Amino acid sequence: DAKTTQPTSMDCAEGRAANLPCNHSTISGNEYVYWYRQIHSQGPQYIIHGLKNNETNEMASLIITEDRKSSTLILPHATLRDTAVYYCIVRVALHGAQKLVFGQGTRLTINP
Amino acid sequence: EPEVTQTPSHQVTQMGQEVILRCVPISNHLYFYWYRQILGQKVEFLVSFYNNEISEKSEIFDDQFSVERPDGSNFTLKIRSTKLEDSAMYFCASTRATNEKLFFGSGTQLSVL
């Protein structure tokens, strides 16, 4: 699986949009970009994923550059409950139980 | 939303003892995983399981570890002879298909004394 690079930590004011970048310059054509988060010591929680088109769901938006070498997760109106470690993961969707490989992620702190 | 259920939430054991961590994946899911997270460290993959056999395992998953799906609903992780360094939060996860999201349980905190 391709390696990802994320900032170690970020801060954002409550109510503002949080934009979390991720570099995945060695991504292959058949690799998806996934975002998960981990609030305190809870189990990782799925946020969103995409292949090459931008995606939006009730939690967030995912913007993938045209060359697919980087992406940005956008939390449009951050709340205090969005304080968590956010993981950007690239993963091949082949037949079989393809694992997720977690890096260190970005520790996002939402400030009142 | 459906949930992956893990029991117990906390397990304390003596070094050298066997422990079994239990998970109930989401009912229509086909792929199952165990991960662990040592305090302050990243989430690490242990093993994946599909069609009643191990698909992949990491270096951590040595002969002391085993997994089983004994009855079509439970998915267990057994550590035969626990070591101090096995102390960690263990997460179970499941998914319906390989390109879909993984659902994680809330974890079992294992403390080996």
Side-chain angles (χ1 to χ4, degrees):
Chain A
D1 290 339
K3 186 175 177 178
T4 63
T5 305
Q6 298 178 252
T8 303
S9 63
M10 293 181 65
D11 284 85
C12 180
E14 187 179 18
R16 304 298 294 267
N19 297 278
L20 290 89
C22 179
N23 285 320
H24 31 80
S25 58
T26 59
I27 193 169
S28 301
N30 60 352
E31 287 181 311
Y32 286 75
V33 180
Y34 285 80
W35 284 84
Y36 282 75
R37 72 181 183 184
Q38 189 176 25
I39 297 172
H40 196 44
S41 296
Q42 297 177 24
Q45 177 190 26
Y46 167 85
I47 301 172
I48 200 166
H49 77 284
L51 183 62
K52 53 185 177 180
N53 296 323
N54 297 338
E55 302 286 345
T56 295
N57 63 20
E58 66 279 3
M59 288 182 71
S61 295
L62 173 61
I63 308 298
I64 303 174
T65 57
E66 195 169 339
D67 63 8
R68 301 207 328 120
K69 293 185 177 182
S70 65
S71 60
T72 301
L73 177 75
I74 302 172
L75 307 178
H77 305 288
T79 71
L80 298 178
R81 288 176 296 183
D82 291 322
T83 292
V85 179
Y86 287 76
Y87 300 99
C88 169
I89 302 168
V90 292
R91 173 179 178 239
V92 176
L94 296 174
H95 182 69
Q98 299 299 313
K99 64 181 186 285
L100 292 173
V101 178
F102 289 83
Q104 298 295 343
T106 295
R107 182 170 297 279
L108 176 67
T109 302
I110 306 300
N111 299 307
Chain B
E1 190 170 59
E3 288 185 346
V4 174
T5 306
Q6 290 187 244
T7 55
S9 56
H10 293 86
Q11 174 93 48
V12 180
T13 189
Q14 296 291 324
M15 189 170 57
Q17 295 296 305
E18 174 184 286
V19 293
I20 297 176
L21 309 183
R22 302 181 191 279
C23 170
V24 179
I26 294 169
S27 62
N28 62 346
H29 284 189
L30 301 174
Y31 302 87
F32 313 107
Y33 308 78
W34 283 101
Y35 286 79
R36 80 171 188 189
Q37 187 174 32
I38 294 170
L39 185 65
Q41 298 185 22
K42 63 183 181 182
V43 178
E44 300 175 288
F45 168 77
L46 292 179
V47 65
S48 57
F49 191 87
Y50 168 71
N51 200 26
N52 281 320
E53 60 183 25
I54 290 174
S55 298
E56 186 177 357
K57 58 185 180 180
S58 71
E59 294 175 348
I60 303 166
F61 195 90
D62 62 20
D63 292 345
Q64 293 301 311
F65 291 85
S66 62
V67 289
E68 198 175 38
R69 190 159 159 76
D71 55 13
S73 63
N74 292 289
F75 181 50
T76 62
L77 174 69
K78 181 193 292 187
I79 309 175
R80 243 176 293 280
S81 177
T82 50
K83 304 188 283 284
L84 295 176
E85 53 265 37
D86 293 327
S87 294
M89 180 74 89
Y90 288 80
F91 296 109
C92 173
S94 69
T95 187
R96 189 174 55 181
T98 56
N99 63 342
E100 294 191 5
K101 59 186 177 181
L102 264 66
F103 288 81
F104 284 80
S106 54
T108 293
Q109 179 65 57
L110 177 65
S111 298
V112 182
L113 306 179

